[in-house]
């Protein structure tokens, strides 16, 4: 699987790359993508600095959609924990956040099978109003025991999705879930989920409001 472009729309909003020099100019009308990029990395900028500038903006409470792009070490399979911790520390500021894409990374930045994720369960607990969570990359990914009252869309994109993550999804309590998409991938990249692991999703009983199920 090769992904050669970033999303240009997310959460019903156009996506624009965040410029730390300009700051947030349209908090409710744009989904900003925060990405380190080669030039910024060469200039010595760290993703934590970029995220701090974003989170400290006066309009941050009006943000409804956020796209996390390439962070330090994403192509080496590390660094996601630091991003998670920073978002958690500012959860009281991101009061309007409803849509989160964690890992809008193209193959030129990192192959999907190299992207290292983290335990994202604290994000679901700290953002109870979240309606959409899209994740790219599954190395070290964990969702924990999911119990979320408002999540409507869950997408996990991976070169190979582990059976443990699939089992976390099937054990989740998501009464409002309408869209579920799992990129199961191949066993060469850790996709070891079996028919038995995905079978509970096919009964229609787990998520009563589900309208779209994509097992890819």
């Amino acid at each position: 699987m090769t992904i050669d472009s970033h999303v240009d729309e997310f959460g019903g909003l156009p996506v624009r790359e965040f410029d730390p020099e300009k700051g947030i100019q349209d908090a409710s009308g744009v989904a900003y993508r925060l990405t380190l990029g080669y030039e910024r990395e060469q200039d010595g900028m760290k993703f934590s600095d970029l995220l701090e500038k974003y989170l400290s903006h006066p309009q941050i409470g009006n943000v409804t959609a956020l796209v996390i792009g390439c962070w330090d070490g994403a192509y080496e399979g590390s660094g996601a924990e630091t991003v998670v911790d920073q978002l958690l520390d500012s959860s009281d500021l991101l009061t309007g956040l409803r849509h989160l894409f964690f890992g809008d990374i193209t193959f030129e930045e990192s192959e999907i099978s190299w992207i290292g994720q983290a335990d994202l369960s604290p994000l679901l607990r700290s953002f109870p109003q979240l309606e959409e969570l899209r994740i790219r990359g599954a190395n070290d990914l964990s969702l924990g025991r999911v119990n979320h009252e408002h999540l409507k869309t869950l997408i996990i994109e991976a070169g190979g999705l582990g059976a443990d993550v699939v089992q976390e999804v099937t054990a989740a309590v998501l009464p409002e879930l309408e869209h579920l998409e799992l990129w199961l991938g191949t066993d060469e990249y850790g996709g070891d989920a079996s028919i038995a692991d995905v079978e509970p999703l096919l009964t229609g009983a787990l998520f009563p409001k589900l309208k779209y199920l994509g097992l890819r």
Side-chain angles (χ1 to χ4, degrees):
M1 168 61 66
T2 57
I3 298 171
D4 59 6
S5 61
H6 297 111
V7 293
D8 55 15
E9 183 273 337
F10 184 63
L13 301 174
V15 175
R16 300 286 184 268
E17 186 168 331
F18 176 69
D19 184 340
E21 300 301 322
K22 296 179 180 179
I24 297 175
Q25 297 182 316
D26 188 356
S28 60
V30 169
Y32 285 99
R33 178 194 301 114
L34 277 67
T35 184
L36 193 58
Y38 179 78
E39 291 183 2
R40 287 176 179 163
E41 193 170 22
Q42 289 299 302
D43 290 339
M45 177 176 282
K46 295 184 178 298
F47 189 86
S48 59
D49 300 330
L50 186 67
L51 185 52
E52 177 61 30
K53 284 184 176 292
Y54 176 79
L55 294 171
S56 62
H57 197 278
Q59 291 191 46
I60 193 65
N62 297 323
V63 165
T64 61
L66 171 61
V67 178
I68 299 292
C70 197
W71 57 82
D72 315 69
Y75 51 86
E76 298 172 343
S78 64
E81 296 89 349
T82 301
V83 182
V84 171
D85 289 343
Q86 206 167 351
L87 290 173
L88 294 176
D89 289 342
S90 298
S91 60
D92 59 332
L93 301 176
L94 288 162
T95 54
L97 188 65
R98 299 293 182 270
H99 309 270
L100 176 62
F101 186 174
F102 202 112
D104 183 20
I105 298 171
T106 68
F107 80 94
E108 290 184 342
E109 296 166 327
S110 175
E111 295 289 352
I112 190 171
S113 58
W114 298 349
I115 300 171
Q117 280 290 350
D119 181 2
L120 301 187
S121 60
L123 291 178
L124 288 166
R125 290 194 296 269
S126 296
F127 294 97
Q129 301 303 317
L130 203 64
E131 296 179 4
E132 178 177 8
L133 177 60
R134 181 174 175 181
I135 304 162
R136 182 171 296 158
N139 294 338
D140 299 319
L141 175 65
S142 175
L143 300 177
R145 297 180 62 84
V146 180
N147 189 333
H148 200 286
E149 294 185 0
H150 294 98
L151 198 69
K152 296 180 179 180
T153 298
L154 176 62
I155 300 172
I156 306 176
E157 305 172 359
L161 190 59
D164 55 342
V165 179
V166 175
Q167 292 164 9
E168 289 175 338
V169 172
T170 58
V173 179
L174 298 169
E176 296 299 318
L177 193 68
E178 298 177 356
H179 181 115
L180 176 62
E181 192 173 329
L182 303 176
W183 296 20
L184 301 173
T186 65
D187 55 3
E188 290 92 340
Y189 297 115
D192 59 357
S194 67
I195 294 295
D197 293 319
V198 301
E199 189 174 13
L201 296 171
L202 307 179
T203 66
L206 290 182
F207 309 118
K209 292 190 177 182
L210 198 67
K211 299 176 181 178
Y212 176 93
L213 173 63
L215 301 176
R216 299 189 169 191

